[in-house]
């Protein structure tokens, strides 16, 4: 039976580290500040934004939640970002994705001061990740996955890792982190065009699943003893559930349990780590910006 | 027996395209211009720089070869780059690597105007490559490898590609190009920490060798029918050779010939492509800058 990697517990460890660092910063007269910009009323985005703001409050990070109307123009969003760039009380800025269709997201991301880009999506930080320059910000989800691997005692050096998915939010940064010097995994990036994905995954000592398809990674994808990090969060209709749906990952959790060495659950795996790493990035920004 | 992929011939095709594009640009009153900055007297660097300048002359690209003394300061190199950034006759700038030890190369690369960074090493262009933004410059060697695959009629979509080496000059950009939408290969990046590299390579339909070790990739690394792109250029002592050495790649060419489906020779494979893609990038810069 696989070990279940407890993302909540690891996130608590990260947050405890954060608390110590925040106390030190406050002694030096610095209160880390995070601004979260939400454009429109997407219910899922509201849930994410609120949980980020709540976590800031718990930790003693100053936070600002800025809600622009769903009709906001590109200029209004850009002006908001520029105001936050110039605000010395704000060390981290993120614009919740996805914005409404009239907003050109890439331009917004580019407008964020790279030193405040705690999501790690600015080209400056994308490049630093590729160049293995540790002064940049690593996107929170892949950073959280790396931390889970470390917490679970998984040796990455020389390990075969398969990342399923090639997005710039998870797949590619995850691959870059795993192949970087110090991590030293042999990394395969697989995706929708991969032939015999199950066979490719069966080579893996470490699988990172970021495909966005509920319970896609079944037992036949898993080598005996492999570690599986499940990045997916999918809603599946479930009449027996109170809300009419249940949350599940990209991994068929029950099915892989007997084969895998370790696996993250959904919820309670990568999810809590993402928010913890956002706090970590905000503190890193505050330390650098002072 | 493997097909030998004739890099010289493919490079000639690229250069013929370049000639047509240059003629069009000249009709529009634009002569593409490339500046090559050489710091110091490294003999290999001089050979590379001279061959770039010569190719420009053959094509009718304006070129400037700027040689700074090996004692040049960081400020002198930066001033040279800034002058070239501002020079409307120059569309492409490259600083030949490696510079002498007193020069901080990364800062020099960052000083180059991204729109003139025809080597594709500026963080702005690194990020564009990762983000699959085709307005950026792709480093010349991996761009040349992709073109060789295309010319050889190799299907990348769904193919298993193994890139051996994880540098930012070849390995990582090559992996990003192969996994990008449109190329769609399943890409593994292997390196010095990879366990059983031969077995990993034997999975590959496409091997890109960029390890810098002479004739490292032997027949036991090769699946029947695979395509091998050899990025290495190594000097091996050879008493029978006029200069006392011979050039060879990272691939044991004679040994893999019977197993591979197609292979690039060294010299005459990737080498001529690198310089052809530099010309291509310079023309792209001239078109964009006008």
């Amino acid at each position: 039976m696989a070990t279940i990697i407890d993302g909540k517990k690891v996130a608590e460890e990260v947050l405890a580290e954060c608390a110590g660092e925040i106390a030190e910063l406050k002694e030096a007269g610095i209160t880390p500040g995070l601004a979260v910009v939400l454009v429109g009323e997407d219910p899922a985005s509201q849930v994410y934004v609120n949980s980020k703001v709540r976590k800031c409050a718990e930790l003693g990070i100053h936070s600002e939640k800025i809600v622009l109307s769903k009709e906001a123009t590109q200029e209004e969003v850009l002006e908001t970002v520029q105001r936050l760039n110039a605000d010395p009380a704000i060390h981290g800025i993120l614009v919740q994705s996805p914005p409404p269709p009239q907003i050109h997201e890439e331009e917004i991301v580019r407008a964020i001061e790279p030193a405040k880009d705690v999501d790690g999506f600015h080209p400056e930080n994308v490049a630093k990740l590729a160049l293995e320059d540790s002064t940049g910000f690593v996107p929170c989800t892949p950073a959280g996955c790396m931390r889970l691997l470390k917490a679970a005692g998984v040796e990455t050096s020389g390990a075969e890792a398969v990342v399923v998915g090639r997005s710039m939010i998870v797949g590619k940064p995850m691959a870059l982190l795993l192949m970087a010097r110090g991590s030293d995994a042999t990394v395969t990036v697989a995706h929708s065009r991969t032939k015999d994905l199950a066979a490719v995954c069966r080579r893996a000592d470490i699988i990172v699943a970021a495909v966005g398809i509920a319970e896609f990674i079944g037992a036949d994808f898993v080598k005996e003893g492999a570690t599986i990090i499940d990045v997916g969060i999918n809603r599946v209709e479930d009449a027996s559930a109170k809300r009419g749906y249940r949350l599940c990952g990209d991994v068929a959790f029950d099915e892989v349990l007997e084969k895998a060495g370790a696996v993250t659950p959904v919820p309670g795996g990568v999810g809590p780590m993402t928010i913890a790493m956002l706090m970590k990035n905000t503190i890193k920004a505050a330390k650098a910006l002072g």
Side-chain angles (χ1 to χ4, degrees), chain A:
Chain A
M1 277 297 275
T3 306
I4 295 171
I5 302 174
D6 186 345
K8 263 185 169 164
K9 184 164 153 272
V10 182
E12 287 306 326
E13 288 165 18
V14 173
L15 293 170
E17 285 169 25
C18 288
E21 295 177 89
I22 292 165
E24 276 176 39
L25 278 164
K26 287 192 174 175
E27 267 177 43
I30 300 162
T31 299
L34 175 68
V36 185
V37 180
L38 176 62
V39 188
E41 296 154 355
D42 180 63
S45 290
Q46 292 200 34
V47 171
Y48 291 135
V49 165
N50 289 340
S51 65
K52 289 168 188 175
V53 168
R54 204 178 318 119
K55 195 58 75 186
C56 283
E58 281 172 33
L59 283 174
I61 291 179
H62 165 71
S63 76
E64 294 183 21
K65 174 179 161 186
I66 295 151
V67 183
L68 302 178
S69 96
K70 69 175 192 292
E71 285 91 21
T73 64
Q74 182 77 1
E75 285 62 43
E76 284 170 309
V77 183
L78 284 174
E79 275 164 26
T80 303
V81 167
Q82 278 145 12
R83 181 173 63 72
L84 295 165
N85 282 343
D87 185 343
I90 296 299
H91 305 97
I93 303 169
L94 70 87
V95 179
Q96 185 65 42
S97 190
Q102 78 275 17
I103 300 301
H104 187 241
E105 191 170 11
E106 196 195 315
E107 191 191 14
I108 304 293
V109 169
R110 277 185 171 268
I112 297 172
E113 164 63 38
K116 296 189 175 186
D117 168 43
V118 287
D119 257 348
F121 297 155
H122 189 286
E124 180 80 26
N125 288 312
V126 171
K128 282 186 172 175
L129 181 59
L131 298 166
E132 303 184 20
D133 176 342
S134 64
T135 66
F137 292 105
V138 176
C140 301
T141 298
C145 294
M146 290 303 290
R147 181 72 187 242
L148 282 175
L149 288 172
K150 199 178 164 191
V154 176
E155 176 63 90
T156 54
S157 180
E160 286 256 9
V162 174
V163 177
V164 191
R166 54 178 162 172
S167 77
M168 239 357 266
I169 314 286
V170 182
K172 282 186 192 170
M174 192 70 217
L176 289 168
L177 287 168
L178 283 164
M179 78 177 66
R181 279 155 197 84
S183 297
D184 298 311
T186 300
V187 184
T188 299
V189 178
H191 44 77
S192 54
R193 297 297 183 90
T194 293
K195 284 180 192 156
D196 201 351
L197 182 61
V200 170
C201 287
R202 275 196 304 274
R203 303 187 312 219
D205 302 307
I206 299 164
I207 296 174
V208 180
V211 275
I213 305 172
E215 298 173 335
F216 181 69
I217 306 289
D220 55 324
F221 287 62
V222 178
K223 179 168 79 175
E224 197 80 37
T227 300
I228 311 177
I229 305 291
D230 188 352
V231 179
I233 303 180
N234 309 287
R235 286 186 180 193
V236 173
E237 278 187 42
D238 183 347
S240 73
K242 205 170 60 181
R243 293 173 295 192
Y245 66 86
R246 62 183 174 86
L247 290 180
C248 71
D250 293 347
V251 176
F253 186 78
D254 294 337
E255 206 182 289
V256 305
L257 263 186
E258 292 193 18
K259 226 167 162 192
V263 58
T264 63
V266 176
V270 173
M273 291 304 294
T274 296
I275 212 164
M277 299 319 279
L278 176 64
M279 299 299 115
K280 200 92 179 146
N281 276 353
T282 302
I283 293 164
K284 181 178 180 176
K287 282 183 183 170
L289 290 164

